[in-house]
């Protein structure tokens, strides 16, 4: 499994490498297009040679641009030069320096012979500079007439134009002409020029736009995308990726600042140039630092002392290069030293980074490390270009390499996040599977226990019925059998057998489902006892009202209630001498109450019949259903009260079988 994952990562690395190579080839072709023949859109040709003239003017009071000069430029010792060309005759001056009192003006002259495709419809002629650099002011003349000039009209301000910025000017004259470029710079200022192109304006315009998009729009768009993506990923990712996300977000912010200051530095006319330079240098150094910190966080390499030393050195470098502290003459040395420090220190943790990533099988994590290593030669190239040590026709590499580092970091974070989400989903599925298996096991166990409990309940209920029939019906039938051996009157024997039948019917009635309705149970009892009342000439007054359902009214509990009422009514018929019985129900708070009243001679239970077995059975059955039985004397007769709770507490013993609870009875 691990070998398959590693092979997949190697394949992805190869694909990413091929895409990067193709992108670099395409970028090189767009930035340095090969010479082409006149196309469908028009014609163009490259100008690799020009005439050069340099003038040093001691009087700096007159800085206004003349609108007209000699058609072939000012008189002087012109010399032929090859393009690209960098003026290094004067000692370098740095942005913001105004100590000099003289001005240097350099002239570049081009002899142009446009090609016209159709004499009746001559094409518009354009002059295109793919790259130029002027530490001051640039202006363009055609046949001695001012055609274009830069926004900085004062050369002493020392505005610098970053190398690589393209320029496209539409020439007013389409015939053979002389195009002259003028650069006005403070003494010691530098200027450079790439090979120019002349041709159809429509042909050159797409080249200008493409180069401008690649130099400025592409890094800017990459900066915005990286910044937004890193912030979103920081919000989405969990705690395990907090530090890598923070480092990547910081690197994206510093890359945005770098693109803003370095690539757009020539446009910050409202900021002093020293601060623009300081912002670009420090943003790049902090970008390198946070990129390496991101790699260490991905590889989980601690090295706290090295990180503190590194961050302390970068912070000290940022303070030392402040324009208010660093002289302009020392800025190049400090900047180069700053770059070297930021690039050399990470090499001390490089072996541990590579080893950790290799052993963990995270080969994709090597991509940002490789790109970081590639950043060193790219930075050397860009510094050499910045200080005119290589031709101006080169472009900065760091603005294109830094997004590769950050995009590879985004890919790693996304991959880590996707892997963690996949792991979480697998864990959730495993947990769900285990939960379902445990639930099924518990269900099976519960079903087995329920079946066992049901068998026990049925067995207990059979035993209860058998015991009840043995103690009640069985003893009565036994007595009836003994009566047949004697001289017992037939009426007594008949009444005894009739009582046995009533007892059996009541037992059967208790087994019927009444759905927790006490009134149904009482109605069955009334129906069974009505013939006995008629036989004894007694009147039954039925005052039963609707009562709440008793959820605990199971067959066993119903039999207890029927036996209690049967015993009470039997005592009234045998001993009270009453001719009227009243049965009523009511609700008393959280209880249902049954009243049985008669108009007989009355008695007090605890005095007259304290040792009677019938009263003892009534109290025992009432206690079995967690109820209370009570007798009270009336003006004429006796009142029996059976108090029963509406809700039985779980665990209350309500059957003849010990330990049988309400919850057990509900499942019966």
């Amino acid at each position: 499994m691990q070998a398959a994952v590693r092979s997949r990562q190697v394949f992805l690395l190869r694909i990413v490498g091929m895409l990067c190579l193709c992108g670099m080839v395409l970028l090189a072709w767009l930035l340095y297009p090969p010479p082409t023949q006149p196309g469908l859109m028009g014609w163009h040709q490259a100008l690799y040679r020009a005439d050069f003239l340099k003038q040093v003017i001691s009087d700096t009071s007159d800085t206004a641009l003349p609108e007209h000069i000699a058609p072939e430029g000012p008189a002087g010792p012109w010399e032929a030069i090859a393009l690209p060309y960098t003026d290094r005759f004067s000692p370098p001056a740095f942005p913001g320096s105004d100590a000099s009192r003289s001005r240097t003006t350099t002239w570049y002259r081009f002899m142009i012979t446009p090609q016209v495709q159709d004499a009746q419809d001559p094409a518009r002629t354009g002059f295109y500079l793919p790259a130029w650099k002027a530490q001051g002011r640039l202006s363009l003349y055609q046949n001695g007439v001012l055609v274009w000039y830069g926004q900085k009209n004062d050369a002493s301000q020392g505005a610098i134009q970053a190398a690589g910025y393209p320029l496209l000017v539409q020439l007013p004259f389409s015939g053979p002409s002389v195009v002259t470029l003028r650069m006005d710079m403070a003494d010691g200022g530098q200027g450079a020029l790439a090979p120019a192109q002349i041709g159809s304006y429509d042909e050159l315009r797409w080249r200008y736009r493409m180069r401008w998009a690649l130099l400025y729009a592409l890094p800017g768009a990459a900066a915005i995308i990286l910044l937004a993506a890193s912030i979103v990923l920081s919000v989405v990712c969990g705690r395990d990726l907090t530090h890598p996300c923070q480092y990547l977000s910081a690197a994206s912010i510093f890359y945005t600042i770098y693109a803003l200051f370095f690539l757009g530095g020539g446009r910050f006319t409202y900021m002093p140039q020293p601060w623009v330079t300081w912002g670009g240098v420090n943003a790049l150094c902090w970008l390198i630092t946070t990129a390496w910190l991101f790699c260490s966080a991905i590889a989980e390499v601690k090295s706290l002392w090295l990180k503190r030393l590194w961050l302390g050195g970068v912070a000290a470098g940022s303070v030392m290069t402040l324009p208010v502290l660093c002289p302009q003459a020392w800025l190049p040395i400090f900047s180069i030293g700053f770059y070297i420090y930021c690039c050399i220190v990470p090499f001390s943790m490089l072996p541990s980074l590579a080893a950790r990533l290799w052993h963990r099988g995270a080969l994709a994590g090597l991509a940002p490390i490789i790109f970081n290593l590639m950043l060193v030669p790219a930075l050397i190239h860009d510094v050499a270009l910045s200080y005119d040590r290589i031709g101006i026709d080169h472009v900065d590499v760091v603005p294109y390499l830094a997004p590769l580092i950050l995009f590879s970091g985004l890919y790693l974070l996304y991959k880590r996040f996707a892997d963690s989400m996949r792991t979480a989903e697998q864990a959730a599925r495993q947990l769900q599977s285990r939960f379902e298996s445990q639930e099924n096991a518990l269900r099976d166990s519960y079903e087995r226990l329920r079946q066992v409990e049901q068998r026990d309940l049925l067995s207990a209920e059979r035993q209860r019925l058998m015991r009840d029939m043995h103690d009640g019906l069985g003893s009565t039938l036994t007595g009836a059998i003994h009566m047949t051996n004697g001289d017992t009157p037939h009426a007594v024997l008949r009444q005894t057998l009739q009582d046995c039948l009533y007892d059996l019917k009541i037992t059967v009635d208790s087994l019927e489902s009444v759905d927790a309705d006490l009134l149904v149970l009482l109605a069955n009892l009334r129906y069974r006892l009505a013939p006995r009342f008629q036989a004894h000439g007694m009147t039954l007054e039925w005052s039963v009202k609707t009562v709440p359902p008793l959820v605990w009214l199971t067959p066993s509990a119903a039999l207890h209630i029927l036996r209690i009422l049967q015993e009470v009514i039997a005592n009234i018929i045998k001993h009270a001498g009453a001719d009227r019985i009243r049965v009523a129900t009511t609700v008393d708070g959280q209880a249902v109450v049954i009243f049985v009243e008669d108009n007989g001679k009355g008695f007090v239970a605890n005095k007259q019949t304290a040792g009677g077995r019938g009263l003892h059975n009534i109290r025992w059955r009432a206690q079995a259903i967690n109820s209370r039985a009570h007798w009270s004397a009336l003006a004429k007769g006796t009142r029996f009260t059976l108090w029963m709770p509406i809700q039985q507490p779980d665990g209350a013993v309500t059957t003849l079988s010990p330990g049988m609870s309400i919850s057990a009875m509900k499942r019966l």
Side-chain angles (χ1 to χ4, degrees):
M1 183 66 182
Q2 188 175 5
V5 172
R6 179 167 297 185
S7 62
R8 192 183 307 115
Q9 292 178 350
V10 171
F11 175 74
L12 290 176
L13 283 176
R14 291 176 180 176
I15 295 297
V16 172
M18 292 178 62
L19 291 176
C20 294
L21 182 60
C22 294
M24 294 174 66
V25 172
L26 178 62
L27 181 65
W29 183 84
L30 292 173
L31 294 177
Y32 310 109
T36 58
Q37 299 297 326
L40 296 176
M41 295 183 62
W43 63 275
H44 81 280
Q45 63 183 35
L47 304 175
Y48 293 99
R49 300 194 64 84
D51 297 329
F52 176 75
L53 175 64
K54 184 173 184 178
Q55 296 176 335
V56 179
I57 303 173
S58 58
D59 184 11
T60 60
S61 59
D62 184 16
T63 59
L65 281 174
E67 294 185 1
H68 295 84
I69 60 173
E72 295 185 356
W78 292 85
E79 58 176 318
I81 59 172
L83 299 179
Y85 179 79
T86 301
D87 179 21
R88 297 196 187 96
F89 294 106
S90 301
F94 299 99
S97 177
D98 56 357
S100 59
R101 298 183 179 180
S102 61
R103 186 180 76 234
T104 301
T105 300
T106 56
W107 299 83
Y108 297 87
R109 185 173 63 188
F110 300 90
M111 301 298 180
I112 298 176
T113 304
Q115 301 177 10
V116 180
Q117 294 180 344
D118 190 350
Q120 296 180 356
D121 185 19
R124 295 180 298 172
T125 304
F127 183 82
Y128 174 53
L129 279 177
W132 58 280
K133 179 179 179 181
Q135 203 160 352
R137 179 178 58 192
L138 177 69
S139 54
L140 186 142
Y141 293 85
Q142 184 184 22
N143 294 335
V145 179
L146 181 62
V147 177
W148 178 90
Y149 61 91
Q151 295 181 355
K152 272 294 184 182
N153 294 325
D154 189 359
S156 63
Q157 294 295 324
I160 185 171
Q161 170 60 52
Y165 187 77
L167 172 66
L168 177 62
V169 179
Q170 183 177 352
L171 300 178
F173 306 105
S174 58
S177 59
V178 178
V179 175
T180 308
L181 285 175
R182 173 176 174 169
M183 293 184 182
D184 295 315
M185 296 168 288
D187 189 27
Q190 301 180 74
L193 203 66
Q197 296 184 29
I198 189 74
S200 172
Y201 184 79
D202 295 333
E203 172 73 15
L204 297 175
R205 182 169 55 181
W206 76 270
R207 297 174 180 271
Y208 166 79
R209 290 180 176 177
M210 183 62 69
R211 187 177 181 91
W212 188 91
L214 292 174
L215 288 176
Y216 296 97
L218 181 60
I224 295 174
I225 294 173
L226 285 168
L227 189 60
S230 60
I231 293 176
V232 171
L233 203 58
S234 299
V235 175
V236 173
C237 289
R239 294 183 177 180
D240 295 339
L241 299 177
T242 299
H243 292 296
C245 287
Q246 290 176 351
Y247 290 139
L248 187 64
S249 299
S252 301
I253 293 173
F254 288 125
Y255 175 72
T256 304
I257 297 174
Y258 168 74
L260 187 67
F261 277 93
F262 184 78
L263 299 177
R267 299 188 176 187
F268 286 121
T269 55
Y270 57 88
M271 292 183 63
Q273 186 61 36
W275 287 98
V276 174
T277 306
W278 177 84
V281 171
N282 282 271
L284 181 56
C285 291
W286 281 104
L287 169 62
I288 298 172
T289 302
T290 51
W292 278 108
L293 289 176
F294 168 78
C295 294
S296 64
I298 285 293
E300 298 181 359
V301 175
K302 303 301 181 180
S303 301
L304 295 178
W305 64 271
L306 181 60
K307 292 180 181 179
R308 292 172 182 175
L309 178 63
W310 189 8
L311 293 175
V314 176
S318 299
V319 175
M320 292 175 60
T321 54
L322 285 171
V324 296
L325 300 178
C326 178
Q328 292 298 311
W330 291 90
L331 182 59
I333 300 176
F334 281 6
S335 299
I336 294 175
F338 203 3
Y339 290 147
I340 294 175
Y341 176 81
C342 293
C343 293
I344 294 300
V345 173
F347 279 88
S348 58
M349 67 172 66
L350 183 60
S352 58
L353 287 177
R356 288 293 296 272
L357 292 174
W358 179 265
H359 289 303
R360 292 175 56 183
L363 298 182
L366 296 176
I369 296 178
I370 294 173
F371 288 139
N372 272 322
L373 294 176
M374 294 171 60
L375 199 61
V376 177
L379 186 58
I380 295 174
H381 172 273
D382 291 358
V383 170
L385 178 62
S386 176
Y387 292 107
D388 301 319
R389 299 306 172 187
I390 57 177
I392 195 175
D393 54 339
H394 290 252
V395 294
D396 293 293
V397 181
V398 173
Y400 305 99
L401 185 58
L404 294 179
I405 301 173
L406 301 180
F407 276 119
S408 62
L410 281 177
Y411 168 75
L412 286 178
L413 289 182
Y414 170 76
K415 188 174 180 300
R416 287 279 185 93
F417 178 71
D419 292 342
S420 63
M421 291 296 294
R422 193 178 302 109
T423 303
E425 291 177 358
Q426 293 177 355
R429 286 195 295 267
Q430 293 177 358
L431 183 61
Q432 181 68 20
S433 176
R434 294 177 59 186
F435 176 77
E436 291 177 354
S437 62
Q438 292 293 332
E439 185 180 12
N440 294 332
L442 288 175
R443 187 182 296 110
D444 295 340
S445 177
Y446 172 78
E447 184 64 23
R448 289 193 298 269
L449 290 176
R450 192 186 68 82
Q451 293 175 359
V452 171
E453 186 177 9
Q454 187 174 13
R455 287 196 300 268
D456 293 342
L457 289 174
L458 292 176
S459 176
E461 188 68 12
R462 279 196 222 83
Q463 293 177 5
R464 181 187 64 80
L465 290 175
M466 292 173 61
R467 184 167 51 248
D468 189 69
M469 293 177 67
H470 177 271
D471 295 341
L473 182 62
S475 61
T476 305
L477 289 175
T478 302
I481 292 173
H482 288 296
M483 290 179 184
T484 58
N485 296 327
D487 297 331
T488 305
H490 291 283
V492 175
L493 182 60
R494 179 183 177 186
Q495 183 62 40
T496 302
L497 294 176
Q498 190 70 32
D499 291 342
C500 291
L501 182 59
Y502 288 154
D503 188 85
L504 180 61
K505 289 181 179 180
I506 289 175
T507 303
V508 173
D509 289 340
S510 68
L511 298 177
E512 295 182 359
S513 176
V514 295
D515 294 330
D517 193 349
L518 179 64
L519 301 186
V520 175
L521 185 68
L522 296 179
N524 290 334
L525 179 64
R526 177 186 180 184
Y527 173 76
R528 296 300 181 188
L529 295 179
R532 297 190 65 181
F533 291 146
Q534 294 177 0
H536 291 83
M538 301 180 67
T539 302
L540 175 64
E541 182 180 347
W542 194 259
S543 300
V544 174
K545 299 179 181 179
T546 303
V547 295
L550 303 178
V551 296
W552 50 269
L553 192 58
T554 59
S556 59
L559 184 60
H560 283 311
I561 297 174
L562 292 176
R563 290 299 187 194
I564 291 172
L565 297 178
Q566 180 187 13
E567 183 70 20
V568 170
I569 293 174
N571 289 335
I572 293 174
I573 293 174
K574 292 179 180 179
H575 306 293
D579 59 1
R580 185 181 62 85
I581 295 179
R582 177 176 179 268
V583 178
T585 58
T586 187
V587 178
D588 182 13
Q590 296 297 321
V592 173
V593 182
I594 300 177
F595 299 105
V596 180
E597 300 176 354
D598 65 87
N599 60 351
K601 56 185 178 181
F603 74 102
V604 179
N606 57 356
K607 290 184 179 181
Q608 297 181 4
T609 57
R613 183 172 179 81
L615 298 183
H616 173 76
N617 290 336
I618 291 175
R619 290 192 179 96
W620 180 84
R621 289 184 182 276
Q623 186 178 3
I625 57 176
N626 199 27
S627 303
R628 295 196 303 270
H630 177 68
W631 288 265
S632 59
L634 299 176
K636 184 179 181 180
T638 306
R639 173 185 290 173
F640 170 76
T641 303
L642 179 62
W643 183 93
M644 297 177 294
I646 297 177
Q647 297 290 337
Q648 289 277 13
D650 192 16
V653 178
T654 58
T655 67
L656 293 175
S657 300
M660 191 169 296
S661 64
I662 291 295
S663 59
M665 288 193 308
K666 292 178 183 178
R667 295 192 295 268
L668 185 60

